[in-house]
Amino acid sequence: MRFRILLSAAVITAMGLALPSSADAWTTQGGATLEPGNDAVDVAVGWPGLRLGGRLPLKTGFEVGPYGVFNFWNDLLDRKPTLGNALGCLVKLNLIDKGAFQLAVQGDPAFRFEYWPDGVKIGWQIGFPELLMSYTVTPGLDLDFGFKAPLALVFDPQYRVEVRLPLLVGLGFELELAPRLNLFGTIDIGPDFRFAQPQPKCGATDPDGFQKCDVRHSTGGDRIGAYLNAMVGITYRVP
């Protein structure tokens, strides 16, 4: 009997040591922010690309996150890949810290570059507002959800502008693998509204200096597509 009691106590102790303590648990992807002095870096891969970034808490409840992205696709309904990059900085402010529940508002301004297949395009993503929420299921396991509207203005080589407005619902999780290492997964999905002037197909210039254009074969214009961002990655908290 005494042996069984000692064995049970050892198992319970081992389980307690294996689980992360609430004091050590930390998250980066949802509504919570890191405490000052606890910087982090993260890398993620999935659809539509690869992301590398950091988390820099400037004060309690406020952090910034510079990042770089390589994308190989754009709208889900596009018929061919779109190669491009984005350089931006997340700005997150925690508004509600109620035990297991966290809520934050976030901005995601970024410069966007597309260089294939339709020539070089340069854009500015306003990326505001974003509403991020998270709930701690157990210490070391958070479920994340939120809403994003990363409005962007994209200019083509002729300086024509296209307004892009995805309206996204986000879901995700973050799991502690080790005291300084977390695994996370995110998915953002929703309609992608695009507004632009239609561009007719034009041929060669005739001898009188006029160019013939066929408006029946125009490209661009207003349309509704579908946006998907599904990534899995790891976050490392810098000592």
Side-chain angles (χ1 to χ4, degrees), residues 14-225:
M15 292 177 63
L17 292 174
L19 291 174
S21 66
S22 58
D24 294 332
W26 54 278
T27 62
T28 58
Q29 304 301 309
T33 55
L34 294 171
E35 287 297 319
N38 293 285
D39 301 338
V41 294
D42 61 61
V43 60
V45 63
W47 180 277
L50 173 69
R51 189 189 79 196
L52 175 65
R55 303 282 176 159
L56 306 174
L58 302 182
K59 58 184 295 186
T60 299
F62 180 72
E63 69 180 26
V64 296
Y67 68 89
V69 172
F70 167 73
N71 288 332
F72 57 80
W73 207 272
N74 206 326
D75 193 291
L76 272 179
L77 303 184
D78 288 345
R79 297 182 179 180
K80 49 189 174 182
T82 299
L83 301 184
N85 294 91
L87 297 174
C89 185
L90 303 173
V91 181
K92 182 161 64 170
L93 176 64
N94 178 261
L95 299 179
I96 297 178
D97 181 0
K98 294 291 186 180
F101 179 74
Q102 304 282 336
L103 182 146
V105 60
Q106 179 173 267
D108 185 9
F111 289 106
R112 299 173 58 168
F113 309 91
E114 296 176 4
Y115 38 84
W116 194 87
D118 299 320
V120 177
K121 295 182 179 180
I122 300 176
W124 168 248
Q125 176 177 288
I126 299 172
F128 184 84
E130 296 184 352
L131 190 65
L132 305 181
M133 293 166 279
S134 56
Y135 184 82
T136 302
V137 179
T138 62
L141 174 60
D142 276 37
L143 298 181
D144 305 323
F145 43 99
F147 305 93
K148 301 178 180 179
L151 173 67
L153 307 177
V154 180
F155 297 86
D156 67 12
Q158 285 71 44
Y159 304 102
R160 295 184 294 251
V161 63
E162 179 183 43
V163 179
R164 301 178 182 177
L165 179 59
L167 299 178
L168 310 175
V169 175
L171 297 172
F173 73 91
E174 189 164 358
L175 174 66
E176 183 177 353
L177 300 179
R180 294 188 180 274
L181 186 66
N182 284 4
L183 171 71
F184 67 88
T186 62
I187 180 170
D188 300 305
I189 189 168
D192 184 14
F193 297 93
R194 296 194 176 192
F195 308 95
Q197 187 70 27
Q199 301 301 321
K201 182 178 181 181
C202 298
T205 303
D206 62 23
D208 295 327
F210 295 98
Q211 189 177 42
K212 295 183 178 180
C213 297
D214 186 358
V215 296
R216 296 172 300 177
H217 297 85
S218 297
T219 59
D222 300 342
R223 67 185 181 95
I224 301 177

